[in-house]
PDB file of all heavy atoms in Angstrom:
ATOM      1  N   VAL A 351      82.013 104.330  84.420  1.00 94.00           N
ATOM      2  CA  VAL A 351      81.215 103.540  85.342  1.00 94.00           C
ATOM      3  C   VAL A 351      80.867 104.459  86.516  1.00 94.00           C
ATOM      4  O   VAL A 351      81.715 105.217  86.977  1.00 94.00           O
ATOM      5  CB  VAL A 351      81.997 102.333  85.901  1.00 94.00           C
ATOM      6  CG1 VAL A 351      81.063 101.420  86.693  1.00 94.00           C
ATOM      7  CG2 VAL A 351      82.659 101.560  84.787  1.00 94.00           C
ATOM      8  N   GLU A 352      79.640 104.359  86.951  1.00 90.00           N
ATOM      9  CA  GLU A 352      79.234 105.114  88.145  1.00 90.00           C
ATOM     10  C   GLU A 352      78.548 104.162  89.105  1.00 90.00           C
ATOM     11  O   GLU A 352      77.865 103.235  88.656  1.00 90.00           O
ATOM     12  CB  GLU A 352      78.252 106.237  87.764  1.00 90.00           C
ATOM     13  CG  GLU A 352      78.892 107.443  87.097  1.00 90.00           C
ATOM     14  CD  GLU A 352      79.617 108.357  88.074  1.00 90.00           C
ATOM     15  OE1 GLU A 352      79.441 108.211  89.294  1.00 90.00           O
ATOM     16  OE2 GLU A 352      80.385 109.230  87.600  1.00 90.00           O
ATOM     17  N   PRO A 353      78.643 104.379  90.406  1.00 89.00           N
ATOM     18  CA  PRO A 353      79.538 105.335  91.057  1.00 89.00           C
ATOM     19  C   PRO A 353      80.994 104.873  90.945  1.00 89.00           C
ATOM     20  O   PRO A 353      81.256 103.675  90.931  1.00 89.00           O
ATOM     21  CB  PRO A 353      79.094 105.303  92.526  1.00 89.00           C
ATOM     22  CG  PRO A 353      77.891 104.443  92.605  1.00 89.00           C
ATOM     23  CD  PRO A 353      77.846 103.615  91.379  1.00 89.00           C
ATOM     24  N   VAL A 354      81.909 105.805  90.893  1.00 93.00           N
ATOM     25  CA  VAL A 354      83.305 105.451  90.676  1.00 93.00           C
ATOM     26  C   VAL A 354      83.900 104.683  91.853  1.00 93.00           C
ATOM     27  O   VAL A 354      84.928 104.036  91.709  1.00 93.00           O
ATOM     28  CB  VAL A 354      84.187 106.691  90.365  1.00 93.00           C
ATOM     29  CG1 VAL A 354      83.781 107.306  89.053  1.00 93.00           C
ATOM     30  CG2 VAL A 354      84.127 107.690  91.479  1.00 93.00           C
ATOM     31  N   ASP A 355      83.277 104.769  93.022  1.00 92.00           N
ATOM     32  CA  ASP A 355      83.777 104.046  94.187  1.00 92.00           C
ATOM     33  C   ASP A 355      83.065 102.720  94.383  1.00 92.00           C
ATOM     34  O   ASP A 355      83.281 102.057  95.398  1.00 92.00           O
ATOM     35  CB  ASP A 355      83.551 104.880  95.459  1.00 92.00           C
ATOM     36  CG  ASP A 355      84.531 106.038  95.558  1.00 92.00           C
ATOM     37  OD1 ASP A 355      85.471 106.091  94.757  1.00 92.00           O
ATOM     38  OD2 ASP A 355      84.338 106.883  96.453  1.00 92.00           O
ATOM     39  N   ASP A 356      82.194 102.369  93.457  1.00 89.00           N
ATOM     40  CA  ASP A 356      81.376 101.172  93.688  1.00 89.00           C
ATOM     41  C   ASP A 356      81.115 100.444  92.377  1.00 89.00           C
ATOM     42  O   ASP A 356      79.967 100.323  91.938  1.00 89.00           O
ATOM     43  CB  ASP A 356      80.060 101.590  94.363  1.00 89.00           C
ATOM     44  CG  ASP A 356      79.354 100.417  95.014  1.00 89.00           C
ATOM     45  OD1 ASP A 356      79.959  99.321  95.094  1.00 89.00           O
ATOM     46  OD2 ASP A 356      78.201 100.589  95.433  1.00 89.00           O
ATOM     47  N   LEU A 357      82.182  99.961  91.745  1.00 90.00           N
ATOM     48  CA  LEU A 357      82.033  99.203  90.501  1.00 90.00           C
ATOM     49  C   LEU A 357      81.312  97.899  90.816  1.00 90.00           C
ATOM     50  O   LEU A 357      81.609  97.239  91.805  1.00 90.00           O
ATOM     51  CB  LEU A 357      83.413  98.888  89.903  1.00 90.00           C
ATOM     52  CG  LEU A 357      84.042  99.921  88.976  1.00 90.00           C
ATOM     53  CD1 LEU A 357      84.210 101.264  89.668  1.00 90.00           C
ATOM     54  CD2 LEU A 357      85.384  99.429  88.481  1.00 90.00           C
ATOM     55  N   ARG A 358      80.378  97.539  89.971  1.00 88.00           N
ATOM     56  CA  ARG A 358      79.646  96.297  90.208  1.00 88.00           C
ATOM     57  C   ARG A 358      79.592  95.492  88.924  1.00 88.00           C
ATOM     58  O   ARG A 358      79.494  96.048  87.827  1.00 88.00           O
ATOM     59  CB  ARG A 358      78.202  96.601  90.615  1.00 88.00           C
ATOM     60  CG  ARG A 358      78.100  97.486  91.801  1.00 88.00           C
ATOM     61  CD  ARG A 358      77.306  96.851  92.870  1.00 88.00           C
ATOM     62  NE  ARG A 358      77.192  97.736  94.011  1.00 88.00           N
ATOM     63  CZ  ARG A 358      76.127  97.816  94.768  1.00 88.00           C
ATOM     64  NH1 ARG A 358      75.081  97.064  94.521  1.00 88.00           N
ATOM     65  NH2 ARG A 358      76.104  98.630  95.793  1.00 88.00           N
TER      66      ARG A 358
END
Side-chain angles (χ1 to χ4, degrees):
Chain A
V351 189
E352 284 283 347
V354 295
D355 285 351
D356 197 9
L357 273 58
R358 304 237 181 145

